[in-house]
Amino acid sequence: MIIHVVSAGETLWQITNRYAVNMNTTVQLNGLPNPNQLLVGQSLVIPKPGTFHIIKYGDTLWSISQQYGVTIQAIIQANQLTNPNVLYPGTKLFIPSITHIVQSGETLWQISNRYGTSVQAIISENHIQDPNMIYPGMQLAIPRTKPTIEVNAYTYQSNETTVDNFNEFGHLLTYFSPFAYMIKEDGTLQPMNDQVMVDAAKSKNIVPMLAVTNFTSTQAGSNLAHVVLSNPDLREKVLTNALQVMDTKGYKVLNIDFENVQPEDRENYNQFLQLAVDRLHPKGYLVSTALAPKVSATQAGLLYEAHDYEAHGRIADFVVLMTYEWGYRLGPPQAISPINQMRRVVEYALSVMPSEKIFLGFQIYARDWLLPHVQGQEAETFSPQEAVRRAVKYGASIQYDTTAQSPFFRYVDEQGRGHEVWFEDARSAQAKFDMVKQYNLRGVSYWALGYPYPQNWALLNDNFTIKRLAL
């Protein structure tokens, strides 16, 4: 797919004509609130088969064409290169897909075998409605092999809404995790009404992951964590109760999300994780943890000190890096998930644990801050789709912070108040997916379902093959 950034005066008709793609498909992929109102700086996912190559030192058009199996001329035409001999490291080239012209008597099965892909991949890449209706002379884009990752999504939605999400993009999830079972000081767990969504997940071959936590939106949970983690009997009791829920409801993974843990409980937390693994592995269950976004082993602060990256990476089956919330709802306006800060966290994690244990946390919501920011004033949180609708409503131009790889805009409301909005778009999603590929991470973990963001799901599907596990 191509990501196109709208310039002044451009219309959707002009853009889709330029790329020779279907306008209705483009509207659907981007969830455009009003196709006749595009914003300067707005990014659009264009459903044109192909991929991007970031030019490296020493690259030539010949070496790139050999790498991707396309002709030099095809690359020149796709990128409208005026001087093919001059390539600048760091810039992107669009690499068109390999094209196959259907011959008389050929079937999709024969074509997929020839190129080492699958029939379904060709159908998806070419938006084929009826696989039996291919004909001689028809041009088919042949999909390239994509890296395989696992995908998790947390949710705190109702059963009904979560099931609707599964019907829409459940095929792009490996795990899902209702948030969350709250532990109590006596080692019991606060019940959840989650059986309907757990059953729906299993019917879609999505692995249910049981999240247990010590905090709420109003309670930090430090003392609660201390009471449980410092008492060996309570540690056992929490796991006994978690196992009972898993056995009864059909969960297959335990996700331990203890936050604001006191520094003196660091080793107790590590022992709790080891106990969890010792008790769950014999039953065939996995253990994962959620980690605050640290950039060094000595990082100070209640969020970080008890989260021992080396121990979690060694003990747990995988970890979720909570690489979001720099743009905190009670803090000043800024990118919620700046890629430069995310990269620091990932690189530290990779220094103490293998890449195949790391999920990159990906927030899928937007925030609107009043200006000037007053300390403690809460930003409004909503979906990336609402951010675009709001920009359209107030006629804002979308800007893009290239350091944070995040879009933002400012507007003045009906009361004359200034606002600053930071959100996610196609470019910011692609930047995160590129980082997953660069570091060969295990996958992506979304926080959280309930915020419509169609561009993300289209690009996730375009960039990766999603691993599905046997239930």
Side-chain angles (χ1 to χ4, degrees):
M1 288 185 175
I2 298 173
I3 297 174
H4 177 88
V5 180
V6 177
S7 299
E10 281 190 314
T11 66
L12 187 61
W13 183 86
Q14 291 171 325
I15 294 168
T16 53
N17 267 12
R18 171 183 169 185
Y19 293 108
V21 297
N22 182 275
M23 185 185 295
N24 289 334
T25 303
T26 305
V27 169
Q28 183 180 6
L29 280 176
N30 293 278
L32 295 178
N34 187 342
N36 297 317
Q37 285 186 287
L38 299 183
L39 300 163
V40 173
Q42 181 178 1
S43 69
L44 299 175
V45 173
I46 307 297
K48 190 175 181 69
T51 190
F52 283 98
H53 174 84
I54 298 175
I55 297 171
K56 303 182 294 293
Y57 285 100
D59 275 349
T60 65
L61 284 185
W62 182 85
S63 66
I64 296 169
S65 71
Q66 293 298 300
Q67 180 179 342
Y68 291 98
V70 297
T71 66
I72 292 175
Q73 192 58 37
I75 298 173
I76 292 172
Q77 289 178 349
N79 295 276
Q80 300 178 345
L81 298 178
T82 54
N83 189 347
N85 296 316
V86 179
L87 301 178
Y88 295 100
T91 58
K92 281 185 176 182
L93 283 179
F94 177 70
I95 310 297
S97 63
I98 300 168
T99 301
H100 176 84
I101 299 175
V102 178
Q103 305 299 307
S104 179
E106 274 190 321
T107 65
L108 285 180
W109 183 82
Q110 291 171 322
I111 297 168
S112 67
N113 271 7
R114 174 176 172 179
Y115 291 99
T117 186
S118 68
V119 170
Q120 189 54 48
I122 295 176
I123 290 172
S124 177
E125 188 83 355
N126 294 274
H127 306 286
I128 296 172
Q129 300 299 320
D130 184 351
N132 297 314
M133 293 296 290
I134 65 168
Y135 51 85
M138 183 180 185
Q139 290 193 354
L140 294 176
I142 305 301
R144 293 183 175 86
T145 301
K146 298 181 287 188
T148 298
I149 64 168
E150 296 179 358
V151 176
N152 173 57
Y154 291 102
T155 183
Y156 45 85
Q157 302 176 103
S158 67
N159 280 295
E160 294 73 18
T161 307
T162 301
V163 171
D164 289 342
N165 287 160
F166 291 163
N167 290 333
E168 183 180 353
F169 47 76
H171 62 289
L172 298 175
L173 299 178
T174 313
Y175 310 96
F176 104 103
S177 187
F179 198 83
Y181 279 78
M182 182 78 179
I183 63 168
K184 299 181 181 180
E185 289 193 359
D186 63 357
T188 59
L189 302 178
Q190 182 72 38
M192 280 187 73
N193 177 23
D194 55 357
Q195 190 65 66
V196 170
M197 66 176 83
V198 169
D199 290 344
K202 291 191 292 184
S203 73
K204 298 281 186 182
N205 201 36
I206 305 167
V207 177
M209 182 160 67
L210 178 77
V212 295
T213 192
N214 64 314
F215 76 100
T216 67
S217 59
T218 57
Q219 294 181 318
S222 299
N223 185 64
L224 173 59
H226 174 70
V227 168
V228 171
L229 293 176
S230 63
N231 186 319
D233 291 337
L234 286 178
R235 295 199 297 248
E236 290 277 7
K237 189 173 180 182
V238 167
L239 291 173
T240 296
N241 288 318
L243 276 165
Q244 183 177 12
V245 174
M246 295 176 75
D247 290 340
T248 302
K249 294 191 173 182
Y251 284 96
K252 301 297 181 184
V253 186
L254 178 65
N255 180 242
I256 302 170
D257 183 8
F258 283 13
E259 301 186 29
N260 306 304
V261 178
Q262 296 173 11
E264 55 267 32
D265 285 321
R266 175 186 174 110
E267 188 53 39
N268 289 332
Y269 194 9
N270 292 344
Q271 290 176 12
F272 178 68
L273 296 182
Q274 186 61 62
L275 180 64
V277 167
D278 292 343
R279 293 195 58 182
L280 268 69
H281 276 188
K283 296 177 70 70
Y285 295 153
L286 301 180
V287 176
S288 63
T289 68
L291 285 169
K294 292 177 71 165
V295 296
S296 74
T298 57
Q299 187 168 343
L302 185 61
L303 276 175
Y304 313 105
E305 291 182 50
H307 281 197
D308 184 340
Y309 269 45
E310 186 279 330
H312 284 239
R314 171 169 42 82
I315 297 168
D317 295 292
F318 60 84
V319 303
V320 173
L321 302 182
M322 294 185 285
T323 38
Y324 31 75
E325 286 296 297
W326 279 269
Y328 178 50
R329 59 187 172 84
L330 297 177
Q334 60 178 303
I336 303 166
S337 300
I339 200 78
N340 54 320
Q341 298 291 359
M342 296 173 74
R343 187 177 301 278
R344 294 177 67 205
V345 176
V346 169
E347 290 181 347
Y348 167 59
L350 287 169
S351 73
V352 294
M353 68 178 77
S355 61
E356 61 267 22
K357 285 199 173 188
I358 298 173
F359 277 74
L360 183 72
F362 189 157
Q363 55 83 20
I364 47 178
Y365 49 86
R367 288 218 164 110
D368 183 328
W369 285 266
L370 278 173
L371 299 176
H373 175 68
V374 177
Q375 186 174 1
Q377 189 173 60
E378 184 171 350
E380 187 181 358
T381 301
F382 45 72
S383 72
Q385 289 303 96
E386 173 59 26
V388 173
R389 280 192 289 268
R390 204 162 288 198
V392 168
K393 177 180 179 181
Y394 292 103
S397 294
I398 293 174
Q399 302 176 64
Y400 195 73
D401 185 315
T402 54
T403 301
Q405 291 286 306
S406 294
F408 68 99
F409 62 89
R410 299 184 181 95
Y411 71 93
V412 177
D413 66 19
E414 293 84 352
Q415 287 77 44
R417 300 175 301 177
H419 293 251
E420 185 168 315
V421 177
W422 288 84
F423 66 110
E424 298 291 329
D425 69 357
R427 290 168 292 182
S428 65
Q430 188 60 54
K432 294 174 178 64
F433 295 151
D434 287 343
M435 189 157 67
V436 171
K437 294 177 186 176
Q438 178 187 352
Y439 294 114
N440 297 312
L441 304 184
R442 180 172 182 139
V444 173
S445 178
Y446 288 103
W447 180 267
L449 297 185
Y451 298 102
Y453 184 15
Q455 289 182 334
N456 163 76
W457 304 109
L459 287 169
L460 178 68
N461 187 52
D462 189 57
N463 277 269
F464 302 107
T465 297
I466 310 305
K467 187 174 183 179
R468 310 305 297 278
L469 304 176
L471 286 172

